[in-house]
Structure formats: structure tokens, C-alpha cells
Amino acid sequence: MADFKIKKQSAENIYQGETLYIGPEQASVTAARLDALLARIDEEPSEAAEWGDLRAEVESARYALPERTAAVGALERAQTIATSLRATSVVAAIATVISSFVQ
């Protein structure tokens, strides 16, 4: 007989009313990714005001966790800013985080 492992609800998306939340396990992994992204942004030598805007949106996504919709919205705004800055590695990192929400 095959062994089946039951996935806990902690790894799933959870609806409360009309709000979608990610599970605590995914929220923890996403928070770590966003912290790494913030560290990367802080390493940029540019003094352009847009970098501050970019950082603010990523922080907004970080603090919105575990609410999925708010976090993704902030990350999409951050991605737009990063694209205008031509910060391709940051754009790619943001895209990776966004895609982790839909897996």
C-alpha cells in the first residue's frame, strides 16, 4: 500500500471573507526573499529618488504579508519602478517572488 503524505493547510492559500492570505510557511519563505531583495536594493549606489520609491514598495509588500493581494499589488508597483530604472536583476527577483504566490 502506498504511503500518502497529507499537506497541512499551513502551505495553502486561505480565504477569510474576501481576503486571500498565504499560509504561514509560504509567508515565511516570501518574507526572507523580500528581506534579501531589500538588502540588494540597499547595495545600489544610485541616489535617484526612484530607488527610495522602489524600496518603499518592497517594504510595503513585506509588511502586507500574509495578505496575498496587497503584497502582490505592491510588488507589481515595485516591478514597474525597477523596470523604469533598468534594474533587470531586481525586476527578475520581483518576478520570482510574484510567481511564488501562484504556484
Side-chain angles (χ1 to χ4, degrees):
M1 182 177 240
D3 288 331
F4 293 97
K5 292 184 180 180
I6 299 173
K7 203 170 199 180
K8 296 180 183 177
Q9 186 171 353
S10 65
E12 298 176 3
N13 292 328
I14 303 160
Y15 279 99
Q16 289 185 349
E18 293 185 18
T19 305
L20 178 61
Y21 294 90
I22 58 175
E25 203 172 285
Q26 186 182 10
S28 177
V29 169
T30 302
R33 287 179 177 167
L34 292 176
D35 288 341
L37 181 56
L38 287 167
R40 181 185 295 177
I41 291 168
D42 289 343
E43 291 172 358
E44 288 296 324
S46 177
E47 295 295 322
E50 291 84 3
W51 283 98
D53 297 339
L54 174 61
R55 188 178 205 301
E57 290 297 346
V58 174
E59 282 181 329
S60 178
R62 172 73 172 83
Y63 293 119
L65 292 174
E67 187 182 341
R68 181 185 181 275
T69 304
V72 169
L75 287 172
E76 287 172 343
R77 290 187 299 275
Q79 194 170 35
T80 300
I81 295 167
T83 300
S84 72
L85 290 167
R86 298 182 185 188
T88 55
S89 65
V90 175
V91 171
I94 293 169
T96 300
V97 176
I98 291 172
S99 71
S100 73
F101 282 110
V102 294
Q103 291 178 354

